[in-house]
Amino acid sequence: MKQFTVDAVTSNVRRVTFTSPPFNLIGADTLAELSGIVDRLSGDEQVSVVIFDSGTPGFFLNHVDSNQIPAIADMAGNGFLPGFVEVGVRLAAAPFVSIASIRGRTRGGGAEYTAAFDLRYASRERAVLGQPEVGFGLVPGAGGTERLAHLLGRDRALEVLLTGQDYDADRAAEYGWVTRAIPDAELDDFVNAVARRIAGFGKQAVTAIKTQVNRSTLPPEEDLLASFAESVRSTTGPDVAARGQALGELIARIGIDDLERNLGHHLGAPAEQP
């Protein structure tokens, strides 16, 4: 079953919509499909801007489905990068400008991929960003640590990664995690206007500017590989089973919907939640 749809907004602008209810979790099939879409759009000479949004209310790109972790860890890239890392690398380096229109929760692996987009516009009322891996006894593996250090600076990146808290759009914009926080009622028109404006310029100049900026801002691939290896090792860490059991008990009390909607709040000390 397809999780993504691709629509033409104009002759050189595309909209990619991710719909995988109820929570837009990321699995190996999600990555395979997204990888194929990036390939296809990268090969289309007409496409200069791609908008990414969500068709699942309350969620944008969410965290990895825990049941899919072994399958994702086994994904192979083009003979070098693991598939989990490669998707973010190719998004950042794609020969089009990628724009995230964030309306809903964006956490974990989804937040890592969102950080790989070129521009990120977040609904002031509905966007939530977080890197909750520490609350599961894990560490990020899709390049989030490297990209957040570039975007937020060392101290704020550490705050985000070590607390596992949720951040609203205004705080995310203040930190540099998103490009701007936009009132929800204005988000679609604003993103469309930015996309059309960029697409109105010559693609050669637009992609050349992106390439130049990428040279000074994208993390080296060896660093991404090191982070992925550390992430895989963390899945067998001593804290994972205990955190997983505590979260399972928490879900039994509050339900999975409450957990997914308020994950940053619940992760602090799941064993102590009432």
Side-chain angles (χ1 to χ4, degrees), residues 128-203:
V128 177
L129 288 87
Q131 293 287 167
E133 288 87 349
V134 68
F136 296 90
L138 303 171
V139 299
T145 48
E146 289 75 13
R147 292 192 177 93
L148 285 185
H150 275 286
L151 292 170
L152 280 63
R154 181 177 184 273
D155 54 344
R156 285 176 169 173
L158 284 170
E159 178 194 295
V160 166
L161 294 160
L162 296 178
T163 67
Q165 295 180 127
D166 285 339
Y167 289 77
D168 62 23
D170 286 325
R171 183 55 57 86
E174 176 191 346
Y175 276 23
W177 201 346
V178 300
T179 312
R180 294 196 202 186
I182 307 293
D184 187 73
E186 302 172 17
L187 180 63
D188 293 336
D189 288 343
F190 184 91
V191 169
N192 287 336
V194 171
R196 289 171 185 266
R197 181 175 177 86
I198 294 172
F201 300 119
K203 181 174 180 178

Side-chain angles (χ1 to χ4, degrees), residues 2 8 32 47 57 81 87 94 101 105 107 109 122 135 142 166 169 183 196 201 206 221 236 244 252 260 272:
K2 287 189 175 182
V47 176
L81 289 175
V87 172
S101 181
R105 288 143 185 86
R107 300 189 181 106
D166 285 339
R196 289 171 185 266
F201 300 119
V206 168
E221 290 183 349
T236 59
E260 288 290 349
E272 299 173 11

Side-chain angles (χ1 to χ4, degrees), residues 11-211:
S11 61
N12 48 9
V13 178
R14 300 291 182 270
R15 181 181 301 276
V16 177
T17 302
F18 178 40
T19 308
S20 184
F23 305 123
N24 271 14
L25 299 181
I26 293 174
D29 51 349
T30 312
L31 298 182
E33 190 176 342
L34 179 57
S35 178
I37 288 171
V38 172
D39 268 351
R40 191 168 87 239
L41 295 177
S42 295
D44 189 333
E45 290 297 325
Q46 280 195 302
V47 176
S48 57
V49 181
V50 180
I51 300 167
F52 290 81
D53 65 9
S54 169
T56 301
F59 296 90
F60 179 59
L61 277 172
N62 206 359
H63 60 82
V64 167
D65 182 344
S66 59
N67 295 321
Q68 289 282 310
I69 288 177
I72 289 173
D74 288 340
M75 289 183 69
N78 292 331
F80 179 50
L81 289 175
F84 189 48
V85 177
E86 185 190 19
V87 172
V89 170
R90 288 164 60 213
L91 271 171
F96 53 76
V97 175
S98 56
I99 303 178
S101 181
I102 307 168
R103 180 180 277 121
R105 288 143 185 86
T106 307
R107 300 189 181 106
E112 293 184 90
Y113 292 137
T114 298
F117 290 127
D118 300 316
L119 298 169
R120 292 165 296 282
Y121 297 109
S123 164
R124 177 163 283 136
E125 296 87 348
R126 299 187 183 183
V128 177
L129 288 87
Q131 293 287 167
E133 288 87 349
V134 68
F136 296 90
L138 303 171
V139 299
T145 48
E146 289 75 13
R147 292 192 177 93
L148 285 185
H150 275 286
L151 292 170
L152 280 63
R154 181 177 184 273
D155 54 344
R156 285 176 169 173
L158 284 170
E159 178 194 295
V160 166
L161 294 160
L162 296 178
T163 67
Q165 295 180 127
D166 285 339
Y167 289 77
D168 62 23
D170 286 325
R171 183 55 57 86
E174 176 191 346
Y175 276 23
W177 201 346
V178 300
T179 312
R180 294 196 202 186
I182 307 293
D184 187 73
E186 302 172 17
L187 180 63
D188 293 336
D189 288 343
F190 184 91
V191 169
N192 287 336
V194 171
R196 289 171 185 266
R197 181 175 177 86
I198 294 172
F201 300 119
K203 181 174 180 178
Q204 182 177 356
V206 168
T207 54
I209 289 169
K210 173 176 171 174
T211 298

Side-chain angles (χ1 to χ4, degrees), residues 213-236:
V213 173
N214 282 355
R215 281 202 296 267
S216 63
T217 59
L218 292 185
E221 290 183 349
E222 56 266 28
D223 290 350
L224 298 175
L225 281 172
S227 290
F228 179 76
E230 290 163 2
S231 177
V232 172
R233 284 196 295 272
S234 74
T235 63
T236 59

